[in-house]
Amino acid sequence: MEFRCRKVGDECYGFKELTLLFDISQRLLESKELNNDLTPIMASLVKHLNAERSFVTIFNRENQQILIKASYGLSESQKARGKYNLGEGIIGKVVELAKPVVIPEISKSKLFINKTKAELTKNGQELTYICVPLLLDNIVSGALSVIKVFNPKIEGSEDIQLLSIIGSMIAKTARYKQAKMEELERLREENRNLQDQIKETNRHNIIGNSGKMKDLFALVNRVAQTNSTVLLRGESGIGKELFAEAIHNNSNRKNKNLIKVNCSALPESLIESELFGHEKGAFTGADQQRKGRFELAHGGTIFLDEIGDLPLPTQVKLLRVIQEREFERIGGTETIKTDVRIVAATNRNLEEQIEKGEYREDLYYRINVFPIFIPPLRERRDDIPILVDHFIDKFNKKNGRSIKRITTSAINMLMVHRWPGNIRELENVIERACIMCKDDVIHSYDLPPTLQTADSTNTQIEGGMVPIIEQVEKQLIRDALTTTKGNITKAAEVLQITERMLGTRIKKYEIDAWRFKV
């Protein structure tokens, strides 16, 4: 559009139009709520054109109605009456045909239906009605209307040009705002879905939103709907018991018992009695009949933790229960049928145990129907921040504290640690940090010495490769002692060195092994 400079007194009319367009563009750019921010734009337009009133109507494609969204010079009741159907009146025709319309004298026009019930003349003077479509990329989103005193000396084409530019600016902003609102609503919906997923997973106290954890949740949800035997595999401290609870609580057995058995914690002489029960007088001390864990779990789920530690004689009897779903109590002759879902867990390498003859291969295949490998914490470090927040909240409630957050430097230290003790170790670290914390913020110096780094303690290693290797060796020893809870013999086995060599290095590096005992 090319504005012609028409002299009005000493002012250039084209310059005033450019100023108006710049002002409107700035208002549109800064607009946060378009419907409300259009009103001052209408006021500026009325003032510039020396008009009586102006308003914007928006076309709703869902119900095919055209409504006044912003106005200047109309009362609220007049604005409320401004409802048009597509093709109805001047506004309906403009939106339908996507072409501007000028009615020089509205009181003499049959097209002007005056739904707002506004005056048709001004102090005896005729009023001119100009309506242009809000047009962008050949798509009409509404109309811009202006009503001014009729002046036969002024060409309507110039006003149409100006209003068309303003209309396209409004249409572009409206589309952009609509796209932003749709994007915001999409993000809100996505956030709601993610919150629902987190709530669903947190219902079983399983914390994590990394890709690996989401894959695990999908496996749990899938296998939970079946009666198949599940074998949970992974290192100690990763939360296998929580996964067993999740499988049970998502199954059709959730209203029945979930019985938990730690196979490594039971003495070999009592484990059969615990699993299958015993009759009165079956052995010394059996002064009454006792039901075993399998009998108590009838109709529900039994969780056999550390199943790799079962002695061979018990493995034989367990195999029969899995195969035949029946057993006898110790000292009894009655065969007891059981309907139970088995979820087992182990941190041992069962395949190596089979090769050594320490585990029955047929039992292995019976329990390994649906294996789920739970990754260690060091392989899903993205879960560390959310786990930290969970544990801080947990210990705030437990100890009556109000710790607000953890510093970035402390999080960085947690992110680089190897976590040989996995989530159990992280929980202990955060509990200690909550106790050491003095100002409701966990700092790097609140973390245990085993997590301290060169940056956190300002003790960067200098002098080349030898001190760096010594530092790595020292950290490996600490990790092994953490894993074995201060047991030097087992730590030497983990490091694959002799106990004497480990003792020498512990003395060299002045490591207090007793500090790692739990």
Side-chain angles (χ1 to χ4, degrees):
M1 172 183 176
E2 180 181 349
F3 291 114
R4 289 173 295 182
C5 187
R6 292 185 285 115
K7 284 287 185 177
V8 180
D10 295 329
E11 292 184 60
C12 180
Y13 193 63
F15 177 76
K16 289 175 63 179
E17 290 169 327
L18 289 174
T19 303
L20 173 69
L21 291 176
F22 178 77
D23 178 60
I24 291 174
S25 67
Q26 288 296 110
R27 288 179 182 273
L28 289 173
L29 285 172
E30 296 171 0
S31 172
K32 294 182 179 178
E33 183 61 43
L34 187 60
N35 289 348
N36 295 333
D37 294 335
L38 281 175
T39 300
I41 292 176
M42 297 297 98
S44 298
L45 187 58
V46 166
K47 181 180 179 182
H48 175 80
L49 295 177
N50 195 26
E52 298 301 314
R53 53 188 179 269
S54 178
F55 52 92
V56 171
T57 49
I58 299 297
F59 177 44
N60 187 323
R61 297 184 183 278
E62 295 295 326
N63 56 24
Q64 296 290 294
Q65 276 202 326
I66 307 166
L67 305 176
I68 296 177
K69 287 296 183 182
S71 67
Y72 183 81
L74 291 178
S75 67
E76 286 300 318
S77 60
Q78 289 174 328
K79 180 180 173 182
R81 288 193 290 264
K83 297 178 181 179
Y84 307 86
N85 295 319
L86 193 64
E88 181 184 19
I90 296 171
I91 292 175
K93 290 291 184 185
V94 169
V95 173
E96 182 181 41
L97 302 176
K99 291 184 178 180
V101 171
V102 177
I103 305 295
E105 298 172 272
I106 59 176
S107 68
K108 301 176 182 179
S109 173
K110 295 181 179 180
L111 288 175
F112 190 79
I113 58 179
N114 194 22
K115 279 203 167 186
T116 62
K117 306 301 180 183
E119 66 271 11
L120 300 181
T121 60
K122 177 70 173 179
N123 297 327
Q125 293 179 295
E126 289 289 338
L127 295 176
T128 298
Y129 182 67
I130 307 170
C131 184
V132 299
L134 302 182
L135 190 63
L136 183 65
D137 298 332
N138 296 320
I139 298 176
V140 180
S141 57
L144 172 61
S145 301
V146 170
I147 296 177
K148 57 187 294 189
V149 174
F150 172 62
N151 187 344
K153 296 181 180 180
I154 297 179
E155 297 180 15
S157 60
E158 293 185 357
D159 290 335
I160 287 176
Q161 283 184 318
L162 177 63
L163 294 176
S164 296
I165 292 176
I166 296 173
S168 65
M169 293 166 62
I170 293 173
K172 187 173 183 179
T173 304
R175 183 183 296 183
Y176 172 76
K177 295 289 184 184
Q178 182 65 25
K180 293 292 287 183
M181 287 176 61
E182 290 174 355
E183 174 68 10
L184 182 61
E185 182 58 31
R186 186 188 66 79
L187 290 173
R188 284 174 178 165
E189 181 64 24
E190 184 177 328
N191 182 263
R192 283 192 290 268
N193 291 335
L194 288 173
Q195 289 294 332
D196 290 341
Q197 291 177 20
I198 291 173
K199 287 177 183 177
E200 179 64 22
T201 55
N202 286 356
R203 190 162 61 89
H204 309 297
N205 294 322
I206 302 176
I207 307 298
N209 56 11
S210 62
K212 290 187 176 182
M213 290 302 291
K214 290 177 181 177
D215 291 341
L216 285 178
F217 296 148
L219 287 176
V220 166
N221 290 333
R222 180 172 298 180
V223 75
Q225 305 305 317
T226 72
N227 288 313
S228 299
T229 301
V230 179
L231 178 61
L232 302 172
R233 307 194 64 172
E235 297 177 6
S236 179
I238 56 177
K240 293 187 284 292
E241 183 175 334
L242 295 179
F243 277 92
E245 292 176 357
I247 292 170
H248 173 75
N249 291 333
N250 280 283
S251 72
N252 55 10
R253 299 172 179 263
K254 61 185 177 183
N255 295 323
K256 300 292 184 177
N257 289 334
L258 169 63
I259 302 298
K260 303 174 184 178
V261 184
N262 189 327
C263 300
S264 64
L266 294 173
E268 186 173 343
S269 58
L270 295 179
I271 192 166
E272 288 187 28
S273 174
E274 287 290 331
L275 290 177
F276 311 119
H278 61 257
E279 297 289 351
K280 182 178 179 180
F283 51 83
T284 303
D287 53 357
Q288 61 182 357
Q289 184 192 76
R290 179 178 180 181
K291 293 182 178 181
R293 305 293 181 91
F294 271 95
E295 198 169 349
L296 294 173
H298 180 71
T301 305
I302 187 168
F303 174 51
L304 302 175
D305 197 10
E306 305 298 349
I307 198 171
D309 294 340
L310 277 178
L312 284 171
T314 308
Q315 292 179 28
V316 176
K317 295 188 177 182
L318 177 61
L319 178 61
R320 183 197 170 197
V321 176
I322 297 175
Q323 287 178 330
E324 308 298 335
R325 300 293 170 173
E326 62 182 30
F327 61 92
E328 290 87 28
R329 300 192 191 103
I330 297 176
T333 57
E334 178 188 358
T335 299
I336 300 172
K337 296 286 185 179
T338 181
D339 172 25
V340 64
R341 200 262 183 82
I342 297 175
V343 178
T346 184
N347 61 358
R348 289 179 174 268
N349 189 326
L350 296 182
E351 292 79 8
E352 285 187 0
Q353 285 187 274
I354 291 171
E355 290 181 4
K356 296 177 181 178
E358 297 174 354
Y359 207 82
R360 292 184 63 93
E361 189 172 7
D362 47 4
L363 176 59
Y364 168 78
Y365 288 118
R366 284 292 181 181
I367 63 174
N368 198 41
V369 176
F370 194 91
I372 295 179
F373 292 85
I374 305 173
L377 185 57
R378 61 181 172 275
E379 292 182 9
R380 50 185 182 97
R381 297 181 187 273
D382 291 345
D383 290 331
I384 291 177
I386 190 173
L387 284 166
V388 169
D389 290 340
H390 169 73
F391 290 136
I392 289 175
D393 183 60
K394 175 182 176 179
F395 295 122
N396 275 343
K397 294 175 181 176
K398 178 181 177 181
N399 301 323
R401 298 292 302 274
S402 58
I403 296 171
K404 303 293 190 301
R405 63 183 182 90
I406 182 170
T407 63
T408 303
S409 60
I411 278 287
N412 290 339
M413 289 172 60
L414 298 175
M415 294 294 284
V416 300
H417 187 57
R418 291 185 66 251
W419 298 112
N422 290 295
I423 298 173
R424 187 181 295 125
E425 181 187 0
L426 175 62
E427 182 176 7
N428 292 341
V429 165
I430 298 303
E431 183 173 14
R432 177 191 187 276
C434 289
I435 295 171
M436 298 295 293
C437 174
K438 297 178 181 178
D439 57 358
D440 293 339
V441 177
I442 294 178
H443 300 273
S444 57
Y445 50 76
D446 293 321
L447 300 178
T450 52
L451 268 71
Q452 299 297 328
T453 64
D455 289 334
S456 66
T457 57
N458 195 27
T459 55
Q460 286 80 4
I461 298 174
E462 298 179 356
M465 186 174 68
V466 173
I468 294 176
I469 291 175
E470 289 180 346
Q471 186 67 26
V472 171
E473 189 175 47
K474 187 189 299 184
Q475 186 60 47
L476 288 173
I477 293 171
R478 284 174 172 168
D479 289 347
L481 289 171
T482 300
T483 303
T484 61
K485 300 178 181 179
N487 188 312
I488 295 177
T489 302
K490 290 184 178 179
E493 293 177 0
V494 171
L495 295 170
Q496 297 182 10
I497 60 176
T498 65
E499 189 175 344
R500 179 177 174 277
M501 292 171 65
L502 178 58
T504 301
R505 284 162 173 76
I506 288 175
K507 184 177 180 180
K508 173 184 176 182
Y509 297 128
E510 298 181 346
I511 297 173
D512 296 326
W514 62 270
R515 291 183 179 274
F516 297 87
K517 296 182 182 295
V518 178

